[in-house]
RNA sequence: GCCCCUGUGGCGGAAUUGGUAGACGCGCUGGAUUCAAAAUCCAGUUCUUUCGGGAGUGGGAGUUCGAUUCUCCCCGGGGGCACCA
């Protein structure tokens, strides 16, 4: 084949079509209609400076769906915004002597134009940044609503303090004892903080996970674990002193294993437990121990290396069912004040941690659960743990002896309930969400501190509380706290001079309701019910798995809060969630150069070297692109060199979208070659005689019929694959079809039938590549002589009559091994198929000397001859 | 420690309800075209073989006429949770 076509020039074509789309307003979502809607949302970006390949992958996937759904007739909402508050802006301000506001908006401008160069089908008229006063002012209103509804509380509490970022962190933001952003070991401090009462919704958030079939099971499991429901029993011990005299205090504990009560050999309470505090008043030793525990913190090293330690408090707990028995009460460093009652009873025989503790302090170890075949079980340094209770029986346990674990649990609960000293209880790991942050670049909390009236919510008519444009970062700490002019205000209640709250909201609040704001981004009200109820829930949400807990759980909670405040009437914000994989790249390292950018590494044979210095480089692990390892490829360079469509195509090819994808120069080259190939095919077809444009010819050659069948099959399966988010498969189908099409172009006989089949194929090819390579699709569509934008065209319907096959090819097996294949009419009945199969040369030869015992015919699939 | 996911050619990965394993792409090999190169096109590409076949989806067993797919055990890789009582 001689190539006479011009090459496709993405640098000219892409900006041209982007402008055409904008001029025609193709991507504007329509409000106030009854059309079927589709809301596609990708997690909005933090404006860090420039887009990276992860953004390209994420937004390409969403865009494919948005464009496809538009073509399928949906009123599509596909918006973009900026998660613009947060620490990096303050860090940049400190390092480069700029203001967070200017830095942020400049980054937004850069990234907006980069995203636009990708040709995303976004309704830019709805764009906002969370640092826009029009946005965060509305957020303050929602906070006051939540306050009115009792969803907010101010509490003095021990909080996670990040000593590097100088701020409080929520539990969800502490990862392995370190700040999620700074990585610094988190300390414990006591502060007055605002909390959102997410724990009121623990059960509701847990239950509703069952009604989210469109979410990955993995994410639902992670949320279930995080909420951490556990069923058990809460009961109180009577306490006595050394001499056996009953004292006033009681000790309340929570346990999931009440069945092991007769194995109890000690009780342990947290260092901050009232009993510890009380004991420390009379004992320097205990006071020192408490200090030691407080200093330990929750850092990873501390948790992993800390020995199980305790101090006897000088008091004993009376066994609830055995008046002769009492157990010592310890303060212990492994008991958490924040969970349950901050106190446990220890049963060493059946809990490894309790056993370690008991062995250290020489406490009694009594097994109370035994395998039915080993009733004489001995426990030394390994606890016997059987959670499901199969083949085990209670021993050494008075009235529980002989019972199963679950019978024993039930019996103990009943007895406590009868004595009214205990009750069944459900505990959750999920704590309330601390939302105060001692930072400047965030949404101000609309509260005033008045000496007379205490804490007073700002008047709604005085909202928004506007963040000062500039802040001074000369000293550590919160610049707002030092801004006397901004701080000074009058009390909304009594009018006297008062001070503003200088904490700002956790930025996760900003992203907890942005999806609702996109439904009515310009409204005076935070959320307009009619718009929200029309557009929500988000039909397809796409983002990284790293937000499986934090952002997604907070958003689910916020949605419930918004509902309670009558802003909307939907149950869950995101009907379908997709977590996309990361973009990875090989790393390069040189002895002198350190980490080296991929563009500076050149390959000779199988060795790598530095492009400029010639230094040999070591090709290392293939890991997520990161600035620190320098294994990054700048999307702008790729778009400049190959065009956005090529970058988009590569991101969708090969790897399933939920898995990681490796970026390679060769892969990008391959995607670029394919864009050129597509263009050549369309170009050549466009140059064919057009006299047969009217009507379907009566006769088709076999090849033309075959091509038409493939064409319609491809159309159908590409649509199905896009709907199932299996982009790699739809791309494979398109490759297959273009291979057939190329073949046909070479052998076509210039008949009306062949030309018709080719033109039909070219037309449908434009449609099916349009969601993925929209610019090329427009260019091809125009090349075929169409005046309108393909972005405005409906997705074509596959011709069912062409999808039907009259014949079918079936494999013929002998004893499960494939020996031949037959092509028979689809309607042929079983016995005829058997006959045909048995007559095959290869079959009769292989059956020589064997007895045919059975023939299995699955019409349309397989013939299996069983013989021996 | 507990829970979840995953394992298929040199590589990324295909394979409705169990029904022709390796689609499609990358890479590689050979060829055509070219003064040459790029680009493009064609052929081949799981392993093995005495060219009849044989083996083969991490390993082992099981169910079945038939297993990448279902069940059990083991091994490797990834992730989540974790002094949570």
């Amino acid at each position: 084949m001689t190539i006479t076509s011009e090459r496709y020039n993405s640098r000219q074509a892409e900006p041209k079509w982007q402008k055409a789309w904008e001029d025609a307003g193709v991507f504007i979502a329509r409000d106030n209609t009854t059309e079927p809607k589709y809301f596609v949302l990708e997690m909005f970006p933090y404006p860090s400076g420039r887009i990276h390949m992860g953004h390209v992958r994420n937004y390409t996937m969403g865009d494919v769906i948005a464009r496809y759904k538009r073509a399928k007739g949906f009123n599509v909402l596909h918006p973009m915004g900026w998660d613009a508050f947060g620490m990096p802006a303050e860090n940049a301000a400190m390092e480069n002597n700029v203001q967070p506001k200017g830095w942020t908006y400049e980054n937004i401008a850069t990234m907006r134009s980069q995203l636009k160069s990708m040709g995303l089908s976004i309704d830019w008229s709805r764009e906002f940044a969370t640092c826009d006063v029009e946005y965060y002012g509305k957020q303050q209103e929602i906070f006051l609503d939540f306050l009115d509804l009792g969803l907010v509380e101010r509490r003095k509490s021990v909080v996670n303090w990040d000593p590097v970022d100088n701020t409080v962190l929520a539990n969800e933001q502490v990862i392995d004892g370190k700040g999620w952003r700074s990585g610094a070991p988190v300390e414990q401090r006591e502060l007055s903080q605002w909390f959102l009462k997410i724990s009121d919704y623990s059960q509701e958030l847990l239950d509703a996970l069952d009604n989210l079939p469109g979410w990955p099971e993995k994410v639902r499991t992670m949320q279930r674990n995080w909420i951490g429901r556990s069923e058990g029993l809460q009961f109180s011990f009577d306490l006595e002193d050394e001499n056996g005299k009953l004292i006033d205090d009681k000790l309340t504990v929570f346990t999931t294993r009440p069945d092991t009560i007769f194995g109890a050999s000690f009780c342990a309470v947290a260092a901050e437990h009232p009993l510890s505090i009380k004991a420390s008043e009379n004992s320097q030793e205990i006071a020192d121990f408490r200090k030691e525990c407080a200093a330990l913190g929750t850092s990873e090293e501390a948790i992993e290396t800390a020995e199980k330690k305790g101090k006897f408090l000088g008091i004993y707990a009376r066994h609830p069912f055995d008046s002769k028995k009492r157990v010592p009460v310890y303060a212990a460093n492994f008991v958490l004040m924040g969970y349950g009652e901050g106190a446990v009873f220890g049963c060493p025989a059946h809990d490894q941690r309790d056993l370690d503790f008991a062995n250290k302090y020489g406490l009694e170890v009594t097994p109370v659960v035994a395998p039915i075949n080993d009733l004489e079980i001995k426990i030394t340094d390994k606890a016997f743990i059987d959670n499901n209770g199969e083949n085990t029986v209670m021993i050494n346990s008075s009235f529980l002896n002989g019972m199963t674990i679950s019978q024993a649990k039930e019996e103990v609960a009943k007895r406590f309930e009868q004595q009214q000293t205990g009750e069944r209880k459900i505990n959750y790991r999920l704590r309330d969400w601390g939302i105060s942050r001692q930072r400047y670049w965030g949404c101000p909390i609309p509260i005033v501190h008045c000496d007379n009236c205490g804490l007073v919510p700002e008047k709604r008519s005085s909202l928004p509380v506007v963040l000062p444009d500039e802040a001074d970062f000369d000293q550590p700490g919160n610049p707002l706290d030092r801004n006397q002019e901004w701080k000074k205000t009058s009390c909304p209640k009594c009018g006297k001079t008062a001070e503003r709250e200088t904490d700002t909201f956790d930025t996760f609040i900003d992203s907890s309701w942005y999806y609702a704001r996109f439904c009515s981004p310009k409204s005076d009200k935070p959320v307009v019910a009619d718009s929200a109820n029309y557009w929500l829930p988000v039909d397809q949400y796409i983002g990284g798995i790293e937000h499986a807990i934090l952002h997604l759980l907070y958003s689910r909670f916020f949605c419930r809060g918004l509902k309670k405040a009558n802003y909307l009437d939907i149950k869950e914000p995101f009907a379908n969630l997709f977590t996309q994989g990361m973009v990875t790249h090989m790393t390069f390292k040189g002895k002198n150069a350190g980490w080296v950018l991929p563009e500076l590494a050149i390959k000779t044979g199988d060795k790598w070297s530095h492009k400029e210095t010639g230094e040999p480089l070591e090709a290392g692990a293939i890991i997520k692109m990161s600035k620190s390892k320098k294994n990054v490829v700048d999307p702008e360079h790729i778009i400049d060199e190959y065009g956005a469509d090529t970058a988009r195509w590569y991101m969708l090819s090969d790897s399933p979208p939920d898995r990681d994808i490796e970026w390679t120069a060769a892969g990008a080259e391959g995607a670029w070659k394919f864009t050129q190939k597509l263009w050549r095919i369309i170009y050549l077809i466009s140059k064919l005689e057009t006299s047969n444009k009217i009507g379907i010819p009566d006769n088709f050659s076999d090849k033309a019929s075959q091509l038409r069948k493939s064409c319609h099959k491809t159309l159908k399966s590409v649509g199905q694959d896009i709907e199932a988010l299996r982009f790699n498969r739809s791309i494979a189908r398109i490759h297959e079809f273009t291979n057939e099409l190329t073949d046909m172009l070479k052998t076509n006989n210039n008949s009306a039938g062949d030309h018709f089949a080719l033109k039909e194929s070219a037309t449908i090819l434009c449609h099916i590549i349009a969601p993925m390579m929209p610019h090329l699709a427009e260019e091809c569509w125009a090349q075929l002589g169409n005046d309108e934008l393909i972005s405005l065209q409906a997705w074509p319907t596959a011709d069912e009559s062409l999808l039907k096959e009259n014949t079918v090819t079936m494999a013929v097996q002998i004893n499960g091994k494939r020996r031949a294949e037959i092509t028979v009419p689809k309607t042929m009945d079983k016995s005829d198929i058997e006959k045909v199969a048995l007559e095959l040369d290869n079959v009769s030869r292989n059956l020589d000397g064997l007895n045919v015992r059975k023939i299995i015919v699955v019409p349309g699939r397989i013939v299996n001859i069983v013989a021996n």
Side-chain angles (χ1 to χ4, degrees):
Chain A
M1 182 169 66
T2 333
I3 304 300
T4 53
S5 57
E6 310 151 44
R7 292 173 79 74
Y8 170 66
N9 186 334
S10 60
R11 268 177 238 181
Q12 280 171 16
E14 292 186 348
K16 177 177 77 187
W17 294 114
Q18 284 160 19
K19 185 170 184 304
W21 295 328
E22 199 177 332
D23 291 347
V26 182
F27 310 131
I28 302 290
R30 296 175 295 276
D31 285 309
N32 306 314
T33 89
T34 51
E35 296 169 276
K37 64 91 186 182
Y38 201 89
F39 189 171
V40 191
L41 185 65
E42 304 94 26
M43 291 179 184
F44 64 164
Y46 177 81
S48 55
R50 303 176 64 77
I51 65 167
H52 53 66
M53 280 297 176
H55 291 129
V56 175
R57 192 176 193 202
N58 192 201
Y59 298 125
T60 297
M61 287 179 194
D63 201 47
V64 171
I65 298 164
R67 286 178 178 272
Y68 172 76
K69 289 290 177 182
R70 228 173 260 120
K72 290 290 272 185
F74 288 89
N75 180 23
V76 170
L77 174 53
H78 187 214
M80 182 59 70
W82 309 93
D83 190 11
F85 274 135
M87 289 288 307
E90 291 195 36
N91 291 339
M94 285 179 249
E95 282 161 28
N96 310 323
N97 197 29
V98 292
Q99 284 297 323
K101 185 173 178 177
W103 182 85
T104 302
Y105 281 105
E106 268 173 39
N107 288 348
I108 288 175
T110 305
M111 290 173 73
R112 181 193 298 118
S113 84
Q114 288 186 313
L115 288 181
K116 284 191 172 180
S117 77
M118 282 179 62
L120 301 173
S121 67
I122 281 166
D123 180 353
W124 287 102
S125 72
R126 291 176 188 250
E127 177 192 358
F128 60 77
T130 56
C131 64
D132 294 344
V133 67
E134 294 79 17
Y135 184 81
Y136 71 72
K138 303 291 178 286
Q139 187 162 297
Q140 293 168 343
E141 249 179 80
I142 293 173
F143 176 77
L144 295 183
D145 292 325
F146 281 15
L147 196 63
D148 292 344
L149 292 168
L151 292 172
V152 181
E153 222 171 60
R154 188 167 174 87
R155 244 185 258 156
K156 196 166 196 178
S157 76
V158 177
V159 295
N160 306 300
W161 179 263
D162 186 321
V164 168
D165 283 350
N166 277 313
T167 189
V168 164
L169 297 176
N171 284 328
E172 288 83 351
Q173 294 162 343
V174 179
I175 292 144
D176 289 338
K178 292 177 181 164
W180 70 286
R181 238 193 52 75
S182 71
V186 166
E187 297 168 4
Q188 302 299 304
R189 283 201 186 178
E190 194 170 63
L191 283 176
S192 282
Q193 298 285 306
W194 292 101
F195 285 86
L196 288 182
K197 294 169 75 180
I198 189 170
S199 68
D200 285 3
Y201 288 83
S202 297
Q203 190 63 50
E204 154 72 16
L205 288 167
L206 183 66
D207 290 342
L209 286 172
D210 296 336
N211 304 323
L212 287 173
W215 281 41
E217 189 51 47
K218 185 179 178 169
V219 175
R220 290 193 279 169
T221 305
M222 283 165 73
Q223 292 213 352
R224 274 189 202 106
N225 289 341
W226 188 262
I227 293 168
R229 177 191 154 106
S230 75
E231 280 179 48
L233 193 71
Q234 182 175 302
F235 64 91
S236 297
F237 287 98
D238 288 333
L239 296 173
E240 62 183 44
D241 64 15
E242 202 74 46
N243 306 317
K245 196 178 149 227
L246 190 70
I247 56 177
D248 278 348
D249 295 308
K250 281 185 187 289
L251 174 60
T252 307
V253 299
F254 174 74
T255 179
T256 55
R257 293 294 303 273
D259 51 305
T260 63
I261 185 69
F262 286 96
S265 67
F266 65 95
C267 283
V269 302
E272 311 97 89
H273 192 276
L275 286 175
S276 304
I277 295 170
K278 198 169 174 187
S280 69
E281 284 161 11
N282 299 317
S283 159
Q284 189 56 44
E285 210 186 338
I286 292 168
D288 290 345
F289 179 72
R290 288 194 59 228
K291 262 187 214 153
E292 194 189 319
C293 291
L296 201 61
T298 54
S299 76
E300 190 177 18
E301 295 96 309
I303 287 171
E304 276 181 11
T305 58
E307 224 183 319
K308 314 275 169 283
K309 271 192 189 171
K311 279 278 178 259
F312 178 48
L313 295 179
I315 51 176
Y316 295 84
R318 289 183 178 170
H319 195 280
F321 301 116
D322 182 352
S323 56
K324 290 188 207 98
K325 194 174 173 186
R326 66 178 195 177
V327 298
V329 179
Y330 283 76
N333 62 356
F334 60 84
V335 182
L336 305 174
M337 194 58 219
Y339 186 78
E341 298 299 311
V344 297
F345 78 78
C347 175
H350 306 291
D351 182 296
Q352 192 58 47
R353 190 198 51 208
D354 291 348
L355 183 62
D356 294 345
F357 189 82
N359 284 340
K360 184 174 164 87
Y361 293 101
L363 300 163
E364 184 187 305
V365 179
T366 311
V368 290
V369 181
I372 43 179
N373 54 12
D374 181 20
L375 296 178
E376 301 299 311
I377 184 169
K378 291 274 182 296
I379 307 285
T380 51
D381 55 2
K382 204 165 170 358
F384 173 65
I385 294 154
D386 182 347
N387 291 319
N388 54 24
E390 266 175 53
N391 302 319
T392 56
V393 66
M394 302 303 302
I395 56 169
N396 299 328
S397 293
S398 171
F399 55 83
L400 299 177
N401 284 341
M403 289 186 182
T404 64
I405 289 177
S406 58
Q407 284 167 341
K409 278 182 180 170
E410 183 59 30
E411 181 61 28
V412 172
K414 250 189 228 157
R415 295 204 180 209
F416 271 117
E417 278 165 352
Q418 275 160 17
Q419 294 178 17
Q420 297 192 327
T421 48
E423 58 182 356
R424 287 171 226 252
K425 190 163 176 192
I426 293 155
N427 262 320
Y428 300 90
R429 221 177 66 105
L430 183 66
R431 314 294 155 75
D432 282 335
W433 174 16
I435 52 170
S436 300
R437 295 291 179 275
Q438 293 69 40
R439 305 305 321 172
Y440 158 72
W441 191 233
C443 172
I445 299 178
I447 295 286
V448 173
H449 296 254
C450 171
D451 286 342
N452 277 351
C453 316
L455 293 166
V456 186
E458 188 53 272
K459 279 187 210 150
R460 285 169 191 266
S461 57
S462 306
L463 294 183
V465 177
V466 180
L467 202 60
D469 279 349
E470 303 213 336
D472 136 42
F473 291 99
D474 294 348
Q475 306 160 47
N478 181 358
L480 281 183
D481 206 28
R482 298 191 299 268
N483 188 332
Q484 297 307 327
E485 198 190 329
W486 183 81
K487 243 167 110 172
K488 195 178 158 191
T489 185
S490 55
C491 172
K493 215 186 220 171
C494 70
K496 286 196 181 139
T497 306
E499 282 193 349
R500 290 199 181 285
E501 166 82 56
T502 59
D503 285 353
T504 51
F505 285 131
D506 179 1
T507 56
F508 275 97
I509 292 194
D510 309 343
S511 53
S512 293
W513 68 287
Y514 78 112
Y515 49 86
R517 184 66 183 168
F518 275 134
C519 303
S520 52
K522 310 284 184 228
S523 164
D524 289 343
K525 292 175 69 182
V527 175
V528 177
D530 283 349
S531 306
N533 293 338
Y534 172 69
W535 286 114
L536 292 173
V538 173
D539 295 280
Q540 185 64 59
Y541 197 36
I542 308 175
I545 187 88
E546 66 272 19
H547 292 109
I549 296 170
L550 291 165
H551 163 60
L552 290 169
L553 191 62
Y554 292 151
S555 292
R556 294 182 62 221
F557 162 68
F558 242 78
C559 184
R560 285 161 173 80
L562 291 172
K563 186 176 178 181
K564 197 170 183 187
N566 290 318
Y567 280 120
L568 44 73
D569 188 24
I570 54 154
K571 290 188 179 110
E572 287 281 346
F574 313 121
N576 295 292
L577 173 69
F578 189 82
T579 54
Q580 100 277 14
M582 298 179 300
V583 183
T584 64
H585 199 290
M586 189 176 268
T587 48
F588 299 101
K589 201 174 188 179
K591 280 211 174 69
N592 300 317
W595 297 109
V596 172
L597 288 167
E599 62 203 54
L600 294 175
I602 50 169
K603 195 178 187 181
T604 330
D606 54 358
K607 298 261 193 259
W608 293 87
S609 60
H610 197 290
K611 195 174 168 185
E612 284 154 11
T613 65
E615 186 192 347
L617 297 175
E618 200 184 313
I622 298 159
I623 50 172
K624 183 184 180 178
M625 286 189 180
S626 87
K627 281 183 191 163
S628 63
K629 298 280 165 33
K630 291 204 180 166
N631 60 337
V632 288
V633 174
D634 190 332
E636 201 169 299
H637 295 167
I638 300 297
I639 291 172
D640 195 44
E641 195 175 347
Y642 298 113
D645 284 343
T646 295
R648 293 167 61 115
W649 188 256
Y650 184 19
M651 280 303 175
L652 300 166
S653 307
D654 290 349
S655 286
D658 52 343
R659 277 194 226 171
D660 291 352
I661 189 168
E662 187 193 352
W663 184 274
T664 61
E669 191 77 18
W672 182 73
K673 282 180 190 169
F674 188 68
T675 52
Q676 293 297 343
K677 182 179 177 181
L678 280 174
W679 169 250
R680 257 194 321 275
I681 290 169
I682 303 287
Y683 181 86
L684 290 173
I685 293 176
S686 77
K687 294 298 179 197
L688 297 173
E689 289 298 317
T690 53
S691 54
N692 52 16
K693 225 178 175 177
I694 314 142
I696 304 179
D698 295 332
N699 295 306
F700 288 102
S701 62
D702 286 352
K703 285 203 84 167
S705 303
Q706 192 49 50
L707 183 68
R708 296 195 65 211
K709 279 183 182 176
S710 299
C711 177
H712 284 262
K713 275 185 187 163
T714 305
L715 169 62
K716 191 171 182 184
S717 67
V718 167
Q720 286 171 340
D721 286 333
I722 291 176
E723 299 223 12
L725 275 63
R726 299 166 66 150
F727 307 119
N728 55 323
R729 262 180 41 144
S730 55
I731 280 180
R733 295 287 92 83
I734 291 170
H735 271 290
E736 259 175 340
F737 179 55
T738 51
N739 288 343
E740 280 185 64
L741 196 47
T742 318
D743 194 47
M744 181 68 175
L745 256 179
K746 276 180 293 187
T747 57
N748 105 77
N749 62 13
N750 287 313
S751 65
D754 280 17
H755 279 194
F756 180 89
L758 284 166
K759 296 241 156 143
E760 182 185 37
S761 295
T763 302
I764 288 179
L765 189 56
C766 287
H767 282 288
I768 60 180
I769 64 168
M772 301 155 193
M773 297 203 275
H775 311 88
L776 178 68
E778 293 287 4
E779 194 73 22
C780 291
W781 187 246
Q783 177 66 28
L784 289 172
N786 297 291
D787 298 329
E788 297 241 355
L789 292 166
I790 197 169
S791 299
L792 289 165
Q793 308 303 310
W795 190 261
T797 311
D799 183 340
E800 289 295 328
S801 68
L802 288 170
L803 300 178
K804 283 184 201 133
E805 290 287 355
N806 297 323
T807 60
V808 62
T809 302
M810 297 165 66
V812 181
Q813 299 180 332
I814 296 172
N815 292 331
K817 290 204 169 63
R818 180 177 173 275
R819 295 296 174 188
E821 68 178 37
I822 49 172
T823 300
V824 296
K826 224 175 176 178
T827 50
M828 188 184 258
D829 63 33
K830 282 190 185 187
S831 58
D832 291 336
I833 294 174
E834 263 180 42
K835 223 177 282 171
V836 175
L838 286 169
E839 280 163 10
L840 292 169
D841 276 358
N842 208 27
V843 171
S844 53
R845 195 177 53 227
N846 277 287
L847 284 174
D848 199 27
L850 298 175
N851 291 322
V852 174
R853 299 177 59 88
K854 198 171 166 189
I855 301 179
I856 290 141
V857 179
V858 184
R861 295 208 184 272
I862 206 152
V863 181
N864 191 13
I865 302 162
V866 186
N868 62 2

